[in-house]
């Protein structure tokens, strides 16, 4: 199985500041034939189901604010929130969908400093 | 408007069985795989598996933790996916979510509690 490891486990950032969450896969999730990274990011607010933010590592889902961006390739990926808002308090997960089982990272809890 | 609604969660004894339903509307259900994801209380997300569309022969894939005990099915005429859970274990206690093949649409989940 592909193991997804996120860092840090928790993060406190001031309002308006940048938040960065990292995700590392145990093997490359870049499919060479289409040059796509099979990596998604989700936000889960307390008591809510997960919400898709980013897919193909860097494509923002419709309706997601542009302060959210994804980057990276191969085995190393980053989710960046450029200017933290109060409503961004949540747990963030990465997931690979390159090979089944489509494993998730352990989650990163983002709080306001 | 897209809706995904899970149902069927309940309290069940270890070794018991339960069948969850996932009713979808507002998108082309028959053209998409349907995934199941679970979340144990206070824990992270775990991919349980998926059932693909008819055009992909209703192929299924399961997490190792549930393989041989859980069975996915779907009724495209009812826009509904199902999760048959057998030989339930205490560690299967979780909120079970279903989501479409692109993970764009999620239900609110249904709670399964396995306890004696």
């Amino acid at each position: 199985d592909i193991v997804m490891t996120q860092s840090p486990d928790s993060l406190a950032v001031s309002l308006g500041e940048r938040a960065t969450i990292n995700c590392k896969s145990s093997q490359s999730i870049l499919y060479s034939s289409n040059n796509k990274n099979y990596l998604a990011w989700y936000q889960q607010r307390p008591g809510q189901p997960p919400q898709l933010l980013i897919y193909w590592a860097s494509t923002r889902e419709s309706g997601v604010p542009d302060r959210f961006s994804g980057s990276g390739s191969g085995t190393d990926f980053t989710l960046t929130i450029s200017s933290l808002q109060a409503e961004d308090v949540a747990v963030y997960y990465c997931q690979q969908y390159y090979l089944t089982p489509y494993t998730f990272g352990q989650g990163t809890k983002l709080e306001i400093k | 408007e897209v809706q995904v609604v899970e149902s069927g969660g309940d309290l069940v004894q270890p070794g018991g069985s339960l069948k969850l339903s996932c009713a979808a509307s507002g998108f082309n259900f028959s053209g998409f795989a349907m995934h199941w994801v679970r979340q144990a209380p206070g824990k992270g997300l775990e991919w349980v598996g998926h059932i693909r569309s008819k055009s992909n022969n209703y192929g299924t894939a399961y997490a190792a933790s549930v393989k041989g005990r859980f069975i996915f099915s779907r009724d495209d005429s009812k826009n509904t996916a199902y999760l048959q859970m057998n030989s339930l274990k205490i560690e299967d206690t979780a909120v079970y979510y279903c989501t479409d093949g692109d993970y764009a649409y999620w239900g609110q989940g249904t709670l399964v509690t396995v306890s004696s």
Side-chain angles (χ1 to χ4, degrees):
Chain A
D1 296 0
I2 298 176
V3 177
M4 306 299 289
T5 304
Q6 292 181 226
S7 62
D9 289 333
S10 63
L11 182 62
V13 175
S14 300
L15 289 173
E17 296 299 306
R18 177 184 298 259
T20 301
I21 298 170
N22 300 300
C23 175
K24 188 174 183 68
S25 57
S26 60
Q27 67 181 76
S28 176
I29 54 175
L30 171 64
Y31 191 36
S32 56
S33 67
N34 61 9
N35 201 36
K36 287 184 180 293
N37 289 281
Y38 284 58
L39 189 283
W41 288 98
Y42 301 86
Q43 176 193 68
Q44 188 177 32
R45 295 186 176 115
Q48 294 297 313
Q51 178 190 351
L52 177 66
L53 297 175
I54 303 282
Y55 57 95
W56 299 132
S58 61
T59 301
R60 202 178 302 115
E61 173 69 347
S62 175
V64 173
D66 61 7
R67 64 180 180 274
F68 291 91
S69 63
S71 63
S73 186
T75 61
D76 292 280
F77 302 91
T78 301
L79 174 69
T80 301
I81 307 172
S82 61
S83 177
L84 190 70
Q85 305 299 303
E87 61 265 32
D88 300 335
V89 169
V91 179
Y92 293 83
Y93 296 92
C94 61
Q95 182 202 23
Q96 64 81 19
Y97 48 99
Y98 182 81
L99 278 177
T100 59
Y102 295 150
T103 42
F104 289 90
Q106 79 276 19
T108 295
K109 186 174 185 179
L110 177 58
E111 299 174 315
I112 305 295
K113 186 187 291 183
Chain B
E1 182 193 3
V2 173
Q3 278 199 317
V4 175
V5 180
E6 303 92 341
S7 61
D10 205 347
L11 171 63
V12 62
Q13 291 189 338
S17 297
L18 201 60
K19 188 172 185 176
L20 306 184
S21 299
C22 168
S25 61
F27 67 96
N28 178 26
F29 179 86
S30 63
F32 282 88
M34 292 299 292
H35 297 272
W36 291 88
V37 175
R38 69 183 180 182
Q39 187 167 35
K43 301 298 184 182
L45 302 173
E46 180 186 13
W47 183 81
V48 177
H50 67 216
I51 181 166
R52 291 184 164 154
S53 63
K54 181 179 181 180
S55 63
N56 288 290
N57 299 315
Y58 298 123
T60 56
Y62 298 88
S65 57
V66 306
K67 196 169 186 179
R69 301 187 297 121
F70 288 12
I71 301 171
F72 304 125
S73 61
R74 61 190 294 163
D75 184 340
D76 290 344
S77 68
K78 295 181 179 179
N79 284 2
T80 301
Y82 303 97
L83 171 52
Q84 175 67 46
M85 312 165 68
N86 301 320
S87 303
L88 280 161
K89 303 176 181 181
I90 290 174
E91 52 265 37
D92 294 320
T93 295
V95 173
Y96 285 74
Y97 298 101
C98 69
T99 177
D100 71 292
D102 290 336
Y103 297 92
Y105 308 120
W106 295 67
Q108 289 297 313
T110 187
L111 177 61
V112 173
T113 303
V114 184
S115 175
S116 54

